[in-house]
Amino acid sequence: MRARDQRSRLASTGLHTALVGASVIAVFPIAWVVLTSLKTDRDTWARPGELGALGLGNYGQVLGDTQFLTWFGNSLIVATGTTLIGVLISATAGYAASRMRFPGQRPLMWLFLVTQMFPAAVLIVPLYNVLSDLGLLNSYAGLILAQCTIAVPYCAWMLKGYFDTIPVAIDEAGRIDGLSPFGTFWRLIVPLARPGISVTVFYAFVTAWGEVAFAGVFMQSEDRYPLPVGMATFVSDFKAEWGLLTAGSVLVMVPAAVVFFLVQRHLVAGLTAGGVKS
Amino acid sequence: MTTTLSARAEAAPAPVPPRRPVRGFLARHWYAWAMVTPVVLVLAVLVLYPLAHGVYLSLTNATEMNSGRTIGVNEIPATYEFIGLENYFSVLSGADGAFYPRLLWTVQWTVICVALHYTIGLGLALLLNRALRMRTLYRMLLILPWAVPPFVAAFGWRLILNDEGGLLNAVLNVVGIPGVDWLGQPLAAKVSVIMVNVWLGVPFMMVALLGGLQTVPKELYEAAEMDGASPWQRFRAVTLPGLRPVSGTVILLGTIWTFNQFPVIALLTGGGPGGATNILVTEAYERAFQGIRDYAGAATYGAIIASMLVVFAFLYRRWLQRQTSEVLG
């Protein structure tokens, strides 16, 4: 092995050049957003060559003079609600699908697989009519229910993958000690699957947080917009408030990225585990 | 849904060897059914019922004008009619003029994006999968596009690709190449949305494949080296087969995500110019919610998209089963 790990100087330079190049491409657009958010001179937004005055003015404006904080709150409510419902109801189903052989299991796995493939466009018109009939348009509850159509199948799928990685011997030991299947699930498996569950929570949250299609149609008044829909109004055919848009983007991006880096290793395992096994 | 499941259960022969009377059968399985009931109920109410309603709508001529609605205190009843398969004929015969161009572009978009995601992701994973100075730093920087919410990324890229005052054109001008209206010309807009989606999707592939590379046993590489295999032969004969399970899954996920990629196209070009970058998903959305809302047309697109995805899932499962039996047998 050692012979392969020792590289010539040329190979080493090539390797680092390629990686530096790729890293620059990966980071640059984000860095550009950050830089633009600091440009307070509005004429410089459209002149990439000029820097103009730098400062935190855009941040003050987006927090103070726009509905950014309202939208932030809306996104928080909708994403939290979706995550709670999604993870709570799909955990038991994921466990049953992972451990028990029961009639209806195959159709159930099919249901998970197919529903998680449905794009919003398939359901958006009928859901719009249903929510309209129920008077749930422009309400948090309506959007949460709509987002659950995306979250529930994914959560069940990911959690099944996690439960598959916990040895069945633990369940058997629990059963021998006299626990019911519910008891085994609740007292033994859920505590063991806590890392997996937290990743599923994160993923469901982030998906609901960034969802655009349902949010753009079901929320109709500006004070109910979630972040993506609200922020899109900063730059339209009629105005180009790039300063507000980029400052808002940075405020959204930083917390998301921090949590992301904490869980990303587990995230990949969770997303791929379900697919390989079932 | 629950009733159909249990009805099917009783009709089917008992799957597990010890045959029992019906009561034992229920006693055996009621735990499992109780545990899946909440999900089945929610999916039935939120997915299957709307889906059925959507299929019904696709068989009518419902638009915004003839749907039931309430204006003030007046309730206007729905006046749309059942017209059978007419919508499907008009879409599938190409008479509406949009379906086949959109389908072609959706396929091109999905294939090109996933191919680029996979090859670039694999390339980077191979580069990172070795002893290397600053490996952790590279890895963190390269993952960054995945850590950013897609809508934020779309805004950032618009800032770069803008026709007036966009960074990319400014750079091209400095080099002496005339600027391109990146989001305003059909071909350039297509290139742009693919570029942004590739930028967004590579990190997931890279991390997943890097995980996959680390599960390939080192002994296999040593053995191959002993046998005098060149690096390319080692890649073909050891790395690619070792990655197969991971590859299958990430390509499936990538395909689904790209096929359904709504935010990138909606926020970057809005499907424009003139619908040139609309994939089927955004096309259906546009029909439903722009101009006079064509609910029936959108529902028809939705039903066609859904049936394409079901066929795709079916083929994928068959392929997966064959793969597994190959490994086992």
Side-chain angles (χ1 to χ4, degrees), chain A residues 125 128, chain B residues 61-67 69 283-299:
Chain A
V125 171
Y128 182 86
Chain B
N61 60 0
T63 64
E64 191 182 11
M65 308 308 288
N66 58 18
S67 292
R69 58 196 183 276
E283 172 76 21
Y285 184 83
E286 205 168 271
R287 273 165 195 261
F289 296 105
Q290 276 171 15
I292 295 176
R293 300 176 165 193
D294 179 9
Y295 294 139

Side-chain angles (χ1 to χ4, degrees), chain A residues 16-77:
Chain A
H16 280 277
T17 316
L19 284 171
V20 168
S23 303
V24 168
I25 295 174
V27 174
F28 185 79
I30 300 164
W32 189 249
V33 168
V34 176
L35 179 69
T36 309
S37 76
L38 295 171
K39 287 184 181 177
T40 49
D41 196 348
R42 45 187 316 131
D43 293 336
T44 58
W45 296 337
R47 291 197 212 115
E50 294 170 30
L51 214 50
L54 294 183
L56 294 175
N58 292 325
Y59 290 88
Q61 212 186 338
V62 83
L63 289 176
D65 304 343
T66 67
Q67 302 210 46
F68 183 79
L69 288 176
T70 315
W71 299 333
F72 200 95
N74 294 342
S75 279
L76 210 57
I77 293 170

Side-chain angles (χ1 to χ4, degrees), chain A residues 1 7 15-16 25-26 28 46 89 92 101 103 117 119 126 128-129 145 154 181 217 235 242 260 264 268 276, chain B residues 9 29 31 33 35 39 50 57 127 131-132 138 143 146 158 162 165 167 199 207 222 249 257 260 285 289 293 309:
Chain A
M1 282 311 273
R7 283 182 295 270
L15 181 65
H16 280 277
I25 295 174
F28 185 79
I89 69 167
T92 52
R101 299 272 159 267
M117 290 166 68
Y128 182 86
N129 293 348
L145 286 179
Y154 257 118
V217 171
V235 174
W242 286 107
F260 178 86
Q264 44 98 3
V268 177
V276 180
Chain B
H29 294 299
Y31 279 118
W33 285 335
M35 286 180 128
V39 161
L57 274 181
L127 291 182
L132 183 72
Y138 283 133
I143 284 181
W146 191 21
R158 250 169 72 183
N162 249 345
L167 178 68
W199 181 84
V207 179
E222 286 169 20
T249 313
W257 287 342
N260 294 338
Y285 184 83
F289 296 105
R293 300 176 165 193
L309 287 171

Side-chain angles (χ1 to χ4, degrees), chain A residues 56-128:
Chain A
L56 294 175
N58 292 325
Y59 290 88
Q61 212 186 338
V62 83
L63 289 176
D65 304 343
T66 67
Q67 302 210 46
F68 183 79
L69 288 176
T70 315
W71 299 333
F72 200 95
N74 294 342
S75 279
L76 210 57
I77 293 170
V78 171
T80 311
T82 309
T83 309
L84 278 180
I85 297 180
V87 173
L88 281 179
I89 69 167
S90 50
T92 52
Y95 178 71
S98 160
R99 290 303 150 85
M100 303 173 184
R101 299 272 159 267
F102 57 95
Q105 188 191 24
R106 279 179 63 88
L108 185 71
M109 291 312 293
W110 257 98
L111 190 67
F112 289 161
L113 184 72
V114 171
T115 47
Q116 72 179 311
M117 290 166 68
F118 278 172
V122 173
L123 294 176
I124 197 161
V125 171
L127 267 178
Y128 182 86

Side-chain angles (χ1 to χ4, degrees), chain B residues 11-30:
Chain B
V16 212
R19 250 178 182 288
R20 289 164 187 225
V22 175
R23 190 179 296 177
F25 195 78
L26 274 176
R28 225 180 114 81
H29 294 299
W30 79 271

Side-chain angles (χ1 to χ4, degrees), chain A residues 110 113-114 117, chain B residues 110 114 248-249 251-257 259 305-320:
Chain A
W110 257 98
L113 184 72
V114 171
M117 290 166 68
Chain B
T110 308
V114 174
T249 313
I251 289 177
L252 173 77
L253 283 175
T255 308
I256 298 172
W257 287 342
F259 188 91
I305 296 170
S307 40
M308 280 163 48
L309 287 171
V310 170
V311 171
F312 179 74
F314 177 74
L315 293 177
Y316 170 74
R317 294 280 293 218
R318 276 230 332 231
W319 175 81
L320 200 70

